[in-house]
Amino acid sequence: MTLLENLQWRYATKQYDPTRKVAQEDVDKILEAARLAPTSSGLQQFRVLVITNQELKNKIVPISWDQQIVADCSHLLVFAAWNRYTEERIDSIYDFTTDQRGLPRGRFGSYTDRLKALYLTQSADQNFVHTARQAYIGFAMAIAQAAELKVDCTPMEGFSPDELDELLDLKPKGLKSVLMLPLGYRDATNDWLVNMKKVRNPKEEFVIEYK
Ligand SMILES: Cc1cc2nc3c(=O)[nH]c(=O)nc-3n(C[C@H](O)[C@H](O)[C@H](O)COP(=O)(O)O)c2cc1C
């Protein structure tokens, strides 16, 4: 199937079959798609947490608007972004990149100086707006990869990030949760959304051309 056919196939699954688990090989591919996502300045400002522990998934339900999909899914991915930029974080990824490419450290020094001048003078909240955006890019890649593998998923913002951060102890990691992505297989008999038409704005409305 083509990418567009896969995107037609997928939908925000509302009911999972809790007995079906996604193979590790497929989960790895979905994570790899997120890891390969482009990010602003290549800083890879987000991480993906993989939760399979049933007790932990159950605990997340009440802080996720009681969405049972969190408990019934096979794997719960949490996309979490840097809480703020720091000099060390920026240097660390650029040192890693130059090392990997066999280039001298500091090769991109004038560029990283510009990044530091921009981000380190902003508030942590302003930083997080930017880092969280990067998480959305990886999130979209993961959704597309899941569809190619015929793994169902549900993009989710419907949770309390502060409570989730606390539960997952994200603060010491310098991360804040942005999004969740339950993975699994649809319960086609009981999911009210499964057979509904996919609705999007017509192309003529969606695309605004300047000729
Ligand atoms: C960022 C984001 C957050 C969402 N949060 C939730 C959510 O918390 N729970 C849910 O059931 N669906 C959630 N959705 C699913 C959307 O409602 C759904 O993607 C949209 O209606 C389009 O339908 P489709 O994905 O089935 O094509 C979210 C989607 C996105 C992109």
Side-chain angles (χ1 to χ4, degrees):
M1 278 171 99
T2 66
L3 175 61
L4 292 181
E5 286 167 334
N6 290 326
L7 294 180
Q8 284 286 352
W9 172 85
R10 64 146 298 278
Y11 75 109
T13 304
K14 304 296 183 206
Q15 184 90 43
Y16 286 91
D17 177 348
T19 65
R20 293 190 64 195
K21 300 294 171 201
V22 180
Q24 189 60 45
E25 191 190 342
D26 284 350
V27 175
D28 288 344
K29 286 180 184 162
I30 293 164
L31 295 170
E32 186 64 355
R35 193 176 74 98
L36 288 172
T39 50
S40 181
S41 299
L43 289 168
Q44 298 163 70
Q45 300 92 327
F46 68 96
R47 300 289 179 266
V48 185
L49 294 88
V50 183
I51 303 173
T52 48
N53 181 288
Q54 191 58 44
E55 210 178 308
L56 186 54
K57 286 193 291 166
N58 293 345
K59 278 190 192 161
I60 297 173
V61 174
I63 58 171
S64 307
W65 305 0
D66 286 321
Q67 297 188 75
Q68 189 60 28
I69 47 177
V70 169
D72 290 344
C73 69
S74 161
H75 291 64
L76 178 66
L77 307 187
V78 175
F79 287 67
W82 288 351
N83 59 347
R84 66 168 311 144
Y85 284 108
T86 64
E87 182 156 13
E88 295 70 36
R89 278 175 155 166
I90 293 170
D91 284 339
S92 165
I93 187 77
Y94 271 84
D95 286 347
F96 180 63
T97 302
T98 45
D99 289 354
Q100 290 284 310
R101 290 176 173 165
L103 297 169
R105 286 190 173 190
R107 165 78 172 69
F108 301 106
S110 57
Y111 185 68
T112 51
D113 284 348
R114 280 179 61 178
L115 295 181
K116 289 173 195 172
L118 177 63
Y119 296 133
L120 304 185
T121 52
Q122 292 178 347
S123 68
D125 285 348
Q126 284 173 315
N127 279 180
F128 182 65
V129 167
H130 189 250
T131 61
R133 283 180 185 154
Q134 315 313 312
Y136 280 83
I137 303 170
F139 188 68
M141 297 282 176
I143 292 169
Q145 178 60 86
E148 188 183 84
L149 297 165
K150 295 292 167 288
V151 171
D152 286 302
C153 67
T154 315
M156 280 185 71
E157 270 178 339
F159 62 95
S160 159
D162 290 345
E163 287 177 275
L164 187 63
D165 295 356
E166 176 115 13
L167 187 63
L168 301 178
D169 201 24
L170 292 189
K171 204 172 179 181
K173 297 182 176 70
L175 296 170
K176 287 167 69 145
S177 56
V178 181
L179 293 148
M180 297 202 299
L181 189 68
L183 303 175
Y185 294 99
R186 63 188 70 175
D187 174 351
T189 317
N190 295 306
D191 191 333
W192 61 267
L193 190 56
V194 70
N195 291 320
M196 295 226 181
K197 183 179 177 351
K198 187 174 284 292
V199 182
R200 294 292 190 267
N201 283 330
K203 186 185 154 206
E204 304 69 48
E205 233 180 84
F206 180 70
V207 179
I208 301 171
E209 292 198 61
Y210 290 76
K211 286 188 179 167

